[in-house]
Amino acid sequence: MSQQTYSISELASELEVTTRTIRFYEEQGMLAPTRRGQERIYSPKDRVTLKLILRGKRIGFSLAECKTLIELYDPGAGNRKQLQSLLDMIAERRLQLEQQLMDIRQIQLELDTAEERCLKALQATADQPE
């Protein structure tokens, strides 16, 4: 029984990314398709790896973090190490987001203050006779 394989265009279409994106991850050593002449042949493992990369990027993990998680994948060991690393990375990402939220709130307050001052200054100039 032969194993399901995918062309680069099939993967790109299914996962809604460009073929250039897939080639980029291949250049980074994260995907390793076999070759049939010039044609790239992707395995189910490559497909899962690409899905994990895209999911990791979507939640804000760096490419290096995605690569680390993928390298830790070990179904024989029940993936404990991978899962624990993922939990640690999630906790760290949450802290980063919390800090970004605080920074955004602070910037919003500063913008409110600047806007208020501008409106008062504009009103003061409107009250002056020309």
Side-chain angles (χ1 to χ4, degrees), residues 61-80:
F61 290 159
S62 70
L63 207 50
E65 289 170 321
C66 291
K67 195 171 188 174
T68 298
L69 284 173
I70 290 163
E71 288 169 354
L72 289 173
Y73 180 70
D74 181 7
N79 293 318
R80 288 188 61 82

Side-chain angles (χ1 to χ4, degrees), residues 33-95:
T34 57
R35 298 269 185 171
R36 188 181 306 137
Q38 290 291 86
E39 184 183 10
R40 292 168 164 89
I41 309 295
Y42 294 89
S43 68
K45 181 180 186 280
D46 291 320
R47 182 177 167 271
V48 168
T49 297
L50 183 55
K51 287 174 81 171
L52 290 172
I53 294 167
L54 296 172
R55 187 175 301 143
K57 294 298 291 172
R58 203 169 37 250
I59 60 176
F61 290 159
S62 70
L63 207 50
E65 289 170 321
C66 291
K67 195 171 188 174
T68 298
L69 284 173
I70 290 163
E71 288 169 354
L72 289 173
Y73 180 70
D74 181 7
N79 293 318
R80 288 188 61 82
K81 196 172 184 180
Q82 183 192 39
L83 293 170
Q84 187 56 57
S85 292
L86 179 56
L87 285 171
D88 294 345
M89 291 165 76
I90 288 170
E92 187 176 320
R93 183 69 181 133
R94 280 187 197 280
L95 289 173

Side-chain angles (χ1 to χ4, degrees), residues 6-15 17 19 22 40 42:
Y6 307 88
S7 70
I8 193 168
S9 56
E10 288 171 333
L11 274 185
S13 176
E14 178 186 342
L15 300 176
V17 295
T19 55
I22 295 172
R40 292 168 164 89
Y42 294 89

Side-chain angles (χ1 to χ4, degrees), residues 59 92-102 104:
I59 60 176
E92 187 176 320
R93 183 69 181 133
R94 280 187 197 280
L95 289 173
Q96 291 169 349
L97 290 172
E98 301 266 339
Q99 183 60 53
Q100 287 175 330
L101 274 173
M102 288 190 307
I104 289 168

